Amino acid sequence: MSISKPHPSDVHIGQRIRTRRLAIGMSQEALAGALDLTFQQVQKYEKGTNRVGGSRMVQIADALAIEPAYFFEGLTGASKATHNDAGAEFMACKDGVIIARAFVQIRNPDIRSAITSFVQTLAEQRGAHFQPAE
């Protein structure tokens, strides 16, 4: 018996759930409680292991204070999702959300610029292929 991989669209939707949940500072347990589920079920949704049905998606959107269409942003084609968006990838991790929240609180443009330069330098030293937005 073979184990199938999650469908790319299910993975994309799961990442969008996780990104939004982290962005608003909600735990998996809190989301699970709002949906009357276990946090393990929320984990499976976020990984794309379990598909999110339409009515459940509406419930999740309500719990996360967004429109259901949010889950489909960035989804292309009938059978493939785009996963190379660095911004989405950054916001899908807990550290990314923490850094983003802190960064936007810095009002001094010189400090923001210095932080950006520092992070770019770190990425280049690690051999990352970083290309700043224009």
Side-chain angles (χ1 to χ4, degrees):
M1 184 174 201
S2 68
I3 298 174
S4 62
K5 286 183 165 183
H7 192 275
S9 60
D10 295 323
V11 172
H12 176 84
I13 290 167
Q15 287 177 340
R16 299 290 289 169
I17 292 170
R18 178 174 169 78
T19 298
R20 176 62 182 170
R21 180 181 59 75
L22 290 173
I24 64 172
M26 181 182 281
S27 68
Q28 286 180 331
E29 292 84 1
L31 179 56
L35 302 171
D36 198 27
L37 297 172
T38 64
F39 80 91
Q40 291 94 338
Q41 181 61 43
V42 171
Q43 286 177 331
K44 290 177 181 181
Y45 285 153
E46 289 184 355
K47 291 179 182 177
T49 306
N50 286 7
R51 284 192 171 157
V52 182
S55 59
R56 179 67 74 193
M57 194 175 297
V58 171
Q59 290 176 327
I60 294 170
D62 286 346
L64 298 175
I66 52 168
E67 294 295 320
Y70 166 85
F71 300 121
F72 300 98
E73 291 173 7
L75 188 62
T76 59
S79 65
K80 60 184 177 181
T82 58
H83 297 290
N84 56 1
D85 179 4
E89 186 177 336
F90 180 72
M91 291 303 292
C93 74
K94 189 173 185 176
D95 290 336
V97 173
I98 292 168
I99 292 167
R101 283 185 181 154
F103 188 81
V104 296
Q105 292 178 13
I106 299 168
R107 299 292 177 219
N108 184 318
D110 293 333
I111 293 173
R112 286 175 76 141
S113 179
I115 291 169
T116 302
S117 295
F118 174 67
V119 172
Q120 287 173 336
T121 300
L122 287 176
E124 290 165 2
Q125 288 179 354
R126 292 284 193 180
H129 299 285
F130 179 81
Q131 294 186 356
E134 307 252 345

